[in-house]
Amino acid sequence: MKTYYLETKSCVMHEAKKVKVELKQVQYTDDDIVVQVSHGGICGSDIHYYHEGRVGLSIIKHPFTIGHEFTGVIYHAPQNSHLKVGQKVAINPSQPCLHCQFCREGKQHACLSMRFMGTAQRVPHTEGGFSQYVKVTEEQCFPYKNCKPEIMVFAEPLAVVIHAINQAGSLLGKKVLITGAGPIGCLLTAAVKAAGATEIVVSDITENSRQLALKMGASKVIDALDETIFEHYAENKGYFDVAFEASASVAAINSTVQATRQNGVIVQVGMGINLNRYPVDLMIVKELSWKGTFRFLHEFSTAVIWLENQVIDPSPLITSSYKLENIEDALITAANKKISSKVQITFD
C-alpha cells in the first residue's frame, strides 16, 4: 500500500515555559483519514502543561503536540468512507481501545488504555490536534454543516459539561449553584439553563468571569470571596438542590457542601490537588450525594447537535484568537483570567 507524507506545522510542548512551532510529517495511506485543522481552543490542561510542565499526574517526559479541542475539514478519506473531502468535522479527541472490560461495558471514557489526544497521560505521549494536519479515525469525526468552526470547536468542552449534567440527574425546576466561572463553568451555566433549571447562581473571584456567566444565562453572580453571601445560602441546611463545583479550590469545595440542601447533589467537575481536603463530615450529616464526572461518552454527538442547532451560544466566551505561530502568546493570555475566557488558535 502506498504511503504519503504531508508536511505540517505543529505546536509542540517541550517542558514548562517551552513551546515551539515545529515542522512535522503526517504519514498516511489510502485507508487513513486526515483532517486539515481550522480552529483550536486552549483548555486549562494546555495552560498547565505550559506553566507547570504537568497536569496532575500527567508529567511531560518528551516533546509532544498539544491540543484536544479542534475542528477542521476532511483533507483525505478512504473511498469507502462516509466522510468526503472538504466536509466540515468536529473531532472527538478520545481514542479508547474498544477491547478492555470498560469499553465492552460501554464505558469507553474509563478505558484502561485510553489515548486522549494532546495529553502526557501515557508514554509515549498522545499527539494532539494543534497542527495544520492531523490523522484521526472515522469514529472520531462528527460532520456538521450549519455552524461556524469557531463555535463548533466548543464541542469537546460542551461534551464534558453535558456529561456532568447527566451525572446530576434531572435539573428541571431545580435551584443550581455553580462555583467557578471559567469556560467550563460558563458552559455549565448555559447548559443547566437549557436543561430546565429555574435559578442559577454562579460564583467566581474575578469580575470578568462573573460578567461572562451573566451573559451565558446566570440568574445571579456572586463574588466567591464574599463569605457573607455563602453564609446566607448555608442557612437551614442549605439552599441549592444541585451544585456543580468547577474550580477545585478549597474554599469553593467547602461552599458547595455548606450551600447544598439536605439530600442534595454535588457534582465535582474541577480537578486539583485540593480534593483530599473535602469536608466529609458535613456531607455525611446532610446526606449529600457526591458525584465525580470525567470527560464524556455519547455526549460528544449531543454537543455537536446542540451547537449546530444553537441550543446554546458559546460565542461570548471567545475573548481572543491567535495564529498558530503565536501559540506561546496565546497560552500566556489564556492563563490571565482577568481578561480571558476561551482563547482560540487558527491554523489556516
Side-chain angles (χ1 to χ4, degrees), residues 76-138:
H76 178 271
Q79 288 186 348
N80 61 350
S81 173
H82 76 280
L83 299 168
K84 305 302 178 185
V85 172
Q87 191 172 25
K88 294 192 295 185
V89 287
I91 307 300
N92 182 341
S94 302
Q95 298 175 323
C97 74
L98 304 180
H99 302 296
C100 72
Q101 174 187 346
F102 292 106
C103 285
R104 294 197 304 270
E105 293 176 351
K107 302 173 183 176
Q108 289 86 352
H109 66 317
C111 173
L112 295 172
S113 302
M114 171 66 78
R115 298 185 64 81
F116 196 85
M117 296 183 71
T119 66
Q121 193 171 14
R122 298 172 62 87
V123 178
H125 304 331
T126 308
E127 293 292 288
F130 283 5
S131 186
Q132 290 174 309
Y133 298 92
V134 178
K135 186 167 68 174
V136 295
T137 66
E138 189 161 324

Side-chain angles (χ1 to χ4, degrees), residues 245 248-258 266 268 270-283 290:
E245 204 301 287
S249 75
V250 173
I253 289 168
N254 282 308
S255 296
T256 58
V257 176
Q258 293 168 6
I266 299 173
Q268 186 64 43
M271 297 178 69
I273 61 174
N274 298 314
L275 297 187
N276 60 351
R277 298 174 61 182
Y278 200 87
V280 175
D281 289 348
L282 184 57
M283 182 183 73
W290 186 90

Side-chain angles (χ1 to χ4, degrees), residues 40 55 109 157 162:
V55 178
H109 66 317
I162 297 173

Side-chain angles (χ1 to χ4, degrees), residues 15-304:
E15 58 189 35
K17 304 295 179 68
K18 187 178 181 181
V19 61
K20 296 182 179 180
V21 177
E22 299 179 1
L23 285 177
K24 289 191 172 186
Q25 280 190 334
V26 176
Q27 179 180 326
Y28 66 99
T29 68
D30 289 327
D31 291 337
D32 290 322
I33 293 170
V34 178
V35 170
Q36 182 176 2
V37 179
S38 62
H39 291 75
I42 291 180
C43 175
S45 62
D46 302 315
I47 297 171
H48 283 295
Y49 280 130
Y50 175 74
H51 284 280
E52 300 155 23
R54 65 186 296 167
V55 178
L57 298 177
S58 299
I59 303 171
I60 298 176
K61 303 290 187 181
H62 60 78
F64 73 110
T65 303
I66 59 171
H68 59 264
E69 300 177 13
F70 64 104
T71 187
V73 298
I74 299 297
Y75 175 83
H76 178 271
Q79 288 186 348
N80 61 350
S81 173
H82 76 280
L83 299 168
K84 305 302 178 185
V85 172
Q87 191 172 25
K88 294 192 295 185
V89 287
I91 307 300
N92 182 341
S94 302
Q95 298 175 323
C97 74
L98 304 180
H99 302 296
C100 72
Q101 174 187 346
F102 292 106
C103 285
R104 294 197 304 270
E105 293 176 351
K107 302 173 183 176
Q108 289 86 352
H109 66 317
C111 173
L112 295 172
S113 302
M114 171 66 78
R115 298 185 64 81
F116 196 85
M117 296 183 71
T119 66
Q121 193 171 14
R122 298 172 62 87
V123 178
H125 304 331
T126 308
E127 293 292 288
F130 283 5
S131 186
Q132 290 174 309
Y133 298 92
V134 178
K135 186 167 68 174
V136 295
T137 66
E138 189 161 324
E139 292 75 20
Q140 290 179 264
C141 298
F142 289 76
Y144 68 96
K145 294 180 180 179
N146 304 314
C147 185
K148 295 179 180 179
E150 58 265 34
I151 298 299
M152 189 53 69
V153 79
F154 281 90
E156 195 276 343
L158 180 57
V160 170
V161 161
I162 297 173
H163 184 69
I165 287 176
N166 285 337
Q167 294 294 87
S170 174
L171 296 180
L172 190 64
K174 300 291 180 64
K175 295 177 289 188
V176 176
L177 171 67
I178 298 172
T179 54
I184 290 294
C186 283
L187 286 173
L188 266 168
T189 302
V192 162
K193 185 175 182 178
T198 54
E199 184 176 355
I200 308 166
V201 176
V202 182
S203 69
D204 200 276
I205 61 174
T206 66
E207 177 64 20
N208 177 61
S209 296
R210 292 195 294 269
Q211 290 304 311
L212 285 173
L214 285 173
K215 291 181 181 179
M216 295 301 288
S219 312
K220 179 180 180 180
V221 293
I222 57 179
D223 187 341
L225 301 177
D226 191 337
E227 296 181 1
T228 303
I229 295 179
F230 280 105
E231 287 173 359
H232 166 70
Y233 284 123
E235 292 176 356
N236 301 315
K237 291 193 174 183
Y239 178 81
F240 297 98
D241 302 297
V242 180
F244 294 91
E245 204 301 287
S247 72
S249 75
V250 173
I253 289 168
N254 282 308
S255 296
T256 58
V257 176
Q258 293 168 6
T260 303
R261 67 168 179 80
Q262 185 82 12
N263 302 117
V265 177
I266 299 173
V267 180
Q268 186 64 43
V269 185
M271 297 178 69
I273 61 174
N274 298 314
L275 297 187
N276 60 351
R277 298 174 61 182
Y278 200 87
V280 175
D281 289 348
L282 184 57
M283 182 183 73
I284 293 172
V285 171
K286 296 176 70 173
E287 298 183 334
L288 299 175
S289 295
W290 186 90
K291 296 186 177 183
T293 181
F294 186 64
R295 293 178 180 163
F296 47 83
L297 282 163
H298 56 277
E299 291 93 352
F300 193 92
S301 60
T302 303
V304 171

